[in-house]
Amino acid sequence: MDTDVRNSTLPAPSPQVLIDQLCEHLTRTAGGDASLLCDFAREFVGKATRQLVHERTLEDRAALTVAAFHFLQRALPERVNVEVVEPEDEGWSAPVTVLRANLADRPFIVDTIREYLSAEGLVIHRFIHPVLGVERGEGGQVLRVGELDVGSPEALVHCEISRLQEPQRRDAVRAAVAGRLGDVGSG
């Protein structure tokens, strides 16, 4: 009996297998010591939906992960850090705009972002919100990333929303989200 291989379905790899593949790829392509990046990838991608992980190519997952890690490295933990960027500017592709935020963990971060985006009529396509244990050096550089027993708890948000074509609109969304998250911390 002949079978058409194109129509057969193989079970999708487990999230752990996909994360291991991602770390192997990052180790080959990131240059230098990629162990910190892989620690971050395990925490970050481990919180992503299966759909996001399975629908993106390995290269896109790697570029998305590296971009989120670089954002975490630039962020100052005593501040509310927000950026709104296009995936193509970071070396990956998706028909969305990315909103990222990093701040000391506190209640209502997700609710605050969701409520604002909903009020603005912006559809949320993907939302990743790990709370990471981050140990930073005196200058703010990331030394270790892991579960909450490492360093201080920092919330990282990666939110994929409806495409914002105009740079002014991206700037307005960034400023509004930063302001609202700042209010959550001071309330």
Side-chain angles (χ1 to χ4, degrees):
M1 176 179 185
D2 290 331
T3 58
D4 186 349
V5 174
R6 293 172 294 165
N7 291 328
S8 67
T9 56
L10 298 173
S14 74
Q16 187 57 52
V17 168
L18 291 171
I19 291 170
D20 290 344
Q21 289 171 348
L22 175 61
C23 282
E24 288 172 19
H25 179 78
L26 291 170
T27 300
R28 283 193 315 273
T29 59
D33 182 9
S35 62
L36 184 59
L37 180 56
C38 283
D39 290 344
F40 172 79
R42 290 183 194 293
E43 297 298 319
F44 178 71
V45 177
K47 301 295 187 214
T49 64
R50 286 184 86 121
Q51 183 179 5
L52 181 141
V53 172
H54 287 285
E55 73 185 8
R56 302 276 165 78
T57 66
L58 177 61
E59 292 76 15
D60 279 354
R61 284 191 316 254
L64 182 155
T65 300
V66 167
F69 180 67
H70 287 163
F71 172 69
L72 179 69
Q73 287 179 309
R74 291 188 307 272
L76 300 172
E78 65 278 357
R79 290 183 156 172
V80 173
N81 305 275
V82 179
E83 72 177 5
V84 179
V85 297
E86 299 304 315
E88 294 78 12
D89 295 338
E90 300 179 329
W92 59 285
S93 175
V96 297
T97 293
V98 176
L99 180 145
R100 287 196 189 98
N102 172 260
L103 61 159
D105 188 38
R106 59 189 68 151
F108 307 115
I109 293 170
V110 172
D111 292 340
T112 299
I113 293 171
R114 286 184 185 273
E115 286 173 10
Y116 169 75
L117 295 174
S118 176
E120 292 294 310
L122 296 170
V123 175
I124 298 172
H125 298 278
R126 303 283 180 268
F127 204 103
I128 307 172
H129 173 246
V131 177
L132 307 167
V134 180
E135 182 182 333
R136 292 181 181 265
E138 286 187 32
Q141 72 274 24
V142 176
L143 302 175
R144 289 178 45 204
V145 176
E147 295 188 18
L148 293 178
D149 60 346
V150 172
S152 299
E154 294 185 28
L156 177 67
V157 172
H158 170 94
C159 183
E160 298 178 9
I161 61 175
S162 306
R163 182 66 78 141
L164 301 176
Q165 299 294 340
E166 305 83 26
Q168 301 86 350
R169 179 76 168 122
R170 291 192 295 271
D171 290 342
V173 167
R174 186 204 56 71
V177 169
R180 283 166 174 75
L181 289 175
D183 290 345
V184 166
S186 62

